[in-house]
Amino acid sequence: MLLNLFNLPMFALVDCNNFYASCERVFRPELINKPVVVLSNNDGCVIARSNEAKKHIPMGAPAFKFEKIFKQYNINVFSSNYPLYGDMSNRVMTILSGFAPDIEIYSIDEAFLKYGKSNYINLIDEGLKISHIIKKSTGIPVSVGFAPTKALSKVANRIAKKFSERTNSVYVIDNEEKRIKALKWLAIEDVWGIGRKNAKKLRNININSAYDFTQLSNEWIKKYLTITGLRLKRELQGLPTLDLEQYVEKKSIATTRTFEKNHSDFEQIKERVTTFAVSNAEKLRKQKSCTNTIMVFLHTNGHRKDLPQYSKNIVIKLPYATSSSIELAKFAVDGLKTIYKKGYKYKKAGVIVMDFVDEDKKQKKLFENSNPKHIDLMKAVDIINDTIGHGKIKLGSQDLKRTWKMNQNSLSPRYTTRLDDIIRVKA
């Protein structure tokens, strides 16, 4: 089958199947074809399921409510192991970058590839090659969908995954007949970018499939779904509108945590907020940015209806742009002092920085500026922490003995990122 019948550049969406669960299976092959679920931070709820587990466990299921189901169906439960998943993702993306000149890493387990115009590329063979090499090199199974637009490649990928035995996990939308058939099959709530709220709105006017959506007038879509909806309609019609997105620096950085227990003591919360501010400062320096605005928030436990509830945030416009851990920690604590109230048991806090400027473009103020001595100091701290281990150098206001520890009662080893966890083979 020679392509491209649209005579357009083709996009491929490569999606790792049940990625978190697949990562666990790579190093535990005895779990292949057995139900596996992965839990969120603090072992809260189910965020990933193998196909075998999906018929028993809904996505987002609170783990504590499903403990009996886990045991009843012998479901293997894992705490989220983000160092492992991140490293495996990097390996997959590195392999994908060798298949096409242009790549957009869309998420930890998805990437778009862009192929130029060619009537001589057999995309079925190309997809099978991608799948084979990734599986052989990393152990991760993938599905591949090809189409002339990004939105349609999402549809093609969904078909490849849904009918994997028939398609060998590779599907190509390369003509009008396939495009229309695919859109009539795809439910409106499963269209990339529609969302639950808009899907309900569309169902109310009898728009039930992706194809129905493409038959709506431009005026209606623009009125209710804005210009974004119009772009999506064009994409589903096979008219390229969205190109690969280039990497851009983050526009905001957040460090938020749910505490392992309720805290009411100001000093304990202050230490946590200081640590969150330091973490944000480190991330700012890595992307060579400074922040002009910081937000601090504090929440009680909304699930504890027996306790008084309180939630507050404060946004502080800084007197100068900075990425200094010392200065950001001071501003964050100032904000905390403003919103903290005695008599409440707090469960969550966070620090968000925003309104960035490149560190080499920040303007000097007349009366107040960031301490220039902090620049070299922060560089030295970052070098030491990168060399001997993250968090070895801390501010005096941080707990020197404490590192953040989530509930991870079913955490697998970090096979690929920690030397002590490497697999040992006895020969």
Side-chain angles (χ1 to χ4, degrees):
M1 179 170 55
L2 294 179
L3 305 174
N4 172 345
L5 300 187
F6 277 103
N7 195 31
L8 293 169
M10 295 290 277
F11 292 90
L13 176 65
V14 182
D15 183 15
C16 301
N17 300 339
N18 308 316
F19 181 59
Y20 292 173
S22 293
C23 287
E24 300 291 351
R25 282 173 163 171
V26 168
F27 302 96
R28 294 278 305 278
E30 71 272 17
L31 298 180
I32 294 173
N33 297 324
K34 294 182 179 179
V36 173
V37 299
V38 178
L39 305 180
S40 63
N41 289 342
N42 287 311
D43 290 349
C45 58
V46 174
I47 57 172
R49 306 164 297 164
S50 67
N51 290 335
E52 297 81 5
K54 288 179 180 179
K55 56 187 175 183
H56 305 299
I57 307 293
M59 183 65 84
F64 74 95
K65 289 185 178 180
F66 282 79
E67 288 180 354
K68 290 183 179 179
I69 302 295
F70 293 154
K71 293 178 181 179
Q72 180 181 351
Y73 294 101
N74 296 316
I75 295 173
N76 298 272
V77 180
F78 290 91
S79 302
S80 49
N81 189 341
Y82 294 118
L84 174 64
Y85 307 153
D87 183 67
M88 294 298 289
S89 172
N90 183 60
R91 294 173 186 228
V92 171
M93 300 308 166
T94 299
I95 293 170
L96 288 177
S97 64
F99 278 93
D102 299 309
I103 179 173
E104 174 193 336
I105 299 174
Y106 184 66
S107 68
I108 192 171
D109 61 348
E110 290 179 282
F112 288 102
L113 306 179
K114 186 177 181 181
Y115 291 80
K117 292 182 181 180
S118 175
N119 290 320
Y120 303 101
I121 298 176
N122 188 319
L123 293 182
I124 292 291
D125 287 348
E126 180 77 354
L128 292 172
K129 183 179 179 182
I130 290 172
S131 177
H132 172 73
I133 290 178
I134 291 177
K135 185 68 184 295
K136 183 178 180 180
S137 302
T138 69
I140 301 294
V142 301
S143 298
V144 188
F146 290 95
T149 71
K150 289 174 73 174
L152 283 175
S153 71
K154 273 273 190 179
V155 180
N157 184 278
R158 198 175 190 93
I159 294 171
K161 186 174 292 187
K162 179 71 174 178
F163 306 102
S164 57
E165 291 186 5
R166 194 185 312 171
T167 63
N168 288 320
S169 297
V170 178
Y171 190 73
V172 180
I173 296 177
D174 60 336
N175 58 46
E176 276 296 291
E177 181 182 356
K178 285 185 178 181
R179 182 186 73 84
I180 293 172
K181 184 178 180 180
L183 295 186
K184 288 183 176 180
W185 166 81
L186 187 66
I188 189 63
E189 55 266 23
D190 293 331
V191 175
W192 181 42
I194 287 293
R196 185 181 304 175
K197 186 177 179 180
N198 286 330
K200 185 176 180 181
K201 185 187 300 182
L202 290 163
R203 287 277 188 185
N204 287 338
I205 61 169
N206 205 34
I207 302 300
N208 300 312
S209 69
Y211 180 78
D212 296 337
F213 177 76
T214 62
Q215 304 307 298
L216 279 170
S217 70
N218 289 346
E219 291 74 19
W220 191 97
I221 293 177
K222 188 173 182 180
K223 180 178 180 180
Y224 293 102
L225 301 178
T226 72
I227 192 68
T228 303
L230 280 178
R231 293 193 185 109
L232 177 58
K233 176 184 175 181
R234 286 179 55 84
E235 284 270 310
L236 293 174
Q237 290 175 322
L239 304 171
T241 307
L242 304 173
D243 207 343
L244 297 187
E245 294 183 7
Q246 301 301 314
Y247 171 78
V248 294
E249 307 291 1
K250 292 182 177 180
K251 300 302 182 185
S252 66
I253 296 173
T255 302
T256 68
R257 294 289 187 272
T258 299
F259 304 143
E260 69 277 14
K261 62 181 180 179
N262 294 330
H263 287 309
S264 56
D265 180 67
F266 176 80
E267 291 300 319
Q268 289 179 318
I269 300 172
K270 173 186 171 183
E271 192 280 331
R272 292 289 83 200
V273 166
T274 298
T275 298
F276 301 162
V278 169
S279 176
N280 286 351
E282 292 170 349
K283 295 172 185 176
L284 279 170
R285 295 194 294 271
K286 282 187 177 180
Q287 70 172 42
K288 301 187 184 305
S289 298
C290 295
T291 181
N292 285 291
T293 305
I294 184 172
M295 184 175 85
V296 182
F297 71 82
L298 199 55
H299 295 168
T300 53
N301 190 343
H303 298 290
R304 290 291 302 273
K305 303 302 181 184
D306 58 318
L307 297 176
Q309 298 295 311
Y310 174 73
S311 177
K312 190 73 173 178
N313 69 68
I314 184 171
V315 177
I316 304 169
K317 184 70 176 178
L318 305 186
Y320 47 80
T322 181
S323 62
S324 162
S325 296
I326 299 170
E327 291 168 343
L328 282 178
K330 175 186 176 299
F331 290 128
V333 171
D334 288 345
L336 177 64
K337 290 176 180 177
T338 302
I339 63 176
Y340 171 81
K341 283 187 178 182
K342 291 183 178 180
Y344 292 95
K345 294 184 180 295
Y346 295 100
K347 187 64 174 175
K348 187 174 184 178
V351 177
I352 303 172
V353 293
M354 58 199 89
D355 188 15
F356 297 164
V357 62
D358 292 345
E359 63 180 20
D360 58 351
K361 294 180 181 178
K362 63 180 181 179
Q363 295 183 342
K364 296 283 186 179
K365 300 292 181 71
L366 184 60
F367 297 108
E368 193 173 8
N369 287 288
S370 177
N371 190 332
K373 293 181 180 179
H374 290 185
I375 297 175
D376 289 336
L377 176 60
M378 292 299 106
K379 284 182 180 178
V381 169
D382 291 340
I383 289 172
I384 293 172
N385 282 337
D386 288 343
T387 302
I388 65 174
H390 184 264
K392 297 298 184 183
I393 304 295
K394 296 184 177 183
L395 300 186
S397 53
Q398 293 178 263
D399 187 338
L400 302 182
K401 297 180 180 179
R402 180 173 183 177
T403 56
W404 183 261
K405 185 171 177 61
M406 296 183 291
N407 289 326
Q408 293 180 303
N409 297 320
S410 304
L411 183 65
S412 58
R414 288 170 285 178
Y415 301 101
T416 64
T417 61
R418 190 168 183 262
L419 194 58
D420 290 343
D421 288 346
I422 195 168
I423 292 177
R424 291 175 172 82
V425 179
K426 295 182 179 180

